[in-house]
Amino acid sequence: MEKKIIETQENILDAARTIFAQKGLAGARMQEIADRAGINKALLHYYYRSKEKLFEQVFEEAFKKLIRPLAAFLADDSELFQKIRNICKHYNKILIQYPFIPNFIINEINTNPNRIINLISFEGVAEGKQKTMAQIQTAVKSGKIRPIDPRELIMNIISLSVFPFASRPITGQFLYKNEDMDQILKSRADSVADFIIQSIKI
Amino acid sequence: MEKKIIETQENILDAARTIFAQKGLAGARMQEIADRAGINKALLHYYYRSKEKLFEQVFEEAFKKLIRPLAAFLADDSELFQKIRNICKHYNKILIQYPFIPNFIINEINTNPNRIINLISFEGVAEGKQKTMAQIQTAVKSGKIRPIDPRELIMNIISLSVFPFASRPITGQFLYKNEDMDQILKSRADSVADFIIQSIKI
DNA sequence: ATCAAATTTAACCAGTTGGTTAAAAAAAAT
DNA sequence: ATTTTTTTTAACCAACTGGTTAAATTTGAT
């Protein structure tokens, strides 16, 4: 029995991820999620009491998928340039897999800013941030890299890693008409890190 | 009489911009838009036949606000570095004014990809793109800048200019707790251009 | 004062949506 | 074979939503 239960639960979550990411909380329909999961509405409510509960689970899971690895990379002991390469490579990999997460999160937090409250102060993300910021400042002082505000550098790394995926429906059309965007986005992994390092190194 | 009409129309559009940007097409309520415009629902429908029509107007207007200046800057004859500075400065200025536009557009195109069809092949944006891409390639060949794929450079410029605004509710919380984000985003205008130019110049 | 346009009031409607319920049926566990 | 759990069926409901209507009222222009 266990397997069937887990399978159904996973079918529901899969469907919910797709529908919520595409249409948001307000635009998603429980009936559509049920259809896509291959079950009926009654069973959907049997597993997840309400749309809101289902959404929260999907949302939190998606949020963690982005913030956890960031926290991990920021907290580790790699040398700065290597750290930058690691983050770029990892975000590229994870966003190839789940390209709709950034837009999904940004949009839903924009709609309901309260949602971020439960998720800040998250699993040592603050410590990692402090650590890497200190690392950047040291690199600046020792003359390893050009002067730059640490937070701005982190912002630039995230922007370059994430935005091309979030804006794909538009920039893909605008810059790469009908070409294989998957391939293009994949190939950015290394060049983005190079772009950043080139900018800060002396 | 004319003035009142225009004033009411503008009140409606203002309200619609705010509500649609915050909640999207699906999440917005006509009643809420009417309330915010200081009128009633009957009058709202008297001016704009349907939610969809009202939304289309707001959406198209927002889309143009981002794409037109991009097309203009890409098409003009400035020297490359100056062009980069121009785009960064202009997007910074316009996004300080309308910070919710990027997320609004990205999200709504993601929800309904058909919306982009009417808006591509837009006011010579393709020509501008070609022109600047050629300019970048020339700069690479002449040894003025390091080798880089022109489209990737354009993507990086847009990413660095736009993403900090789109992701503000999250990155603001994460990187700049409780600080004056307006001031911080404003101050990026020049440093972003420097960051890019530093990366590509020889 | 008169006329036309703008705005309000308030009731109404049909369709949709999240959610419930109870009984039956199917599947799995014992 | 019996019991328990999962799933379906199908009908139902209350709340909400976009949109309409018609009459009354206000407002501005002439």
Side-chain angles (χ1 to χ4, degrees), chain A residues 56-73:
Chain A
E56 270 168 28
Q57 183 160 339
V58 169
F59 180 81
E60 202 173 313
E61 180 192 289
F63 189 86
K64 285 180 183 171
K65 211 158 254 161
L66 286 200
I67 203 75
R68 272 192 172 145
L70 180 64
F73 280 116

Side-chain angles (χ1 to χ4, degrees), chain A residues 1 4 28-30 41-42 45 50-51:
Chain A
M1 215 58 166
K4 275 255 166 147
R29 298 287 161 251
M30 291 299 267
K41 210 174 56 164
H45 278 94
S50 70
K51 189 185 184 183

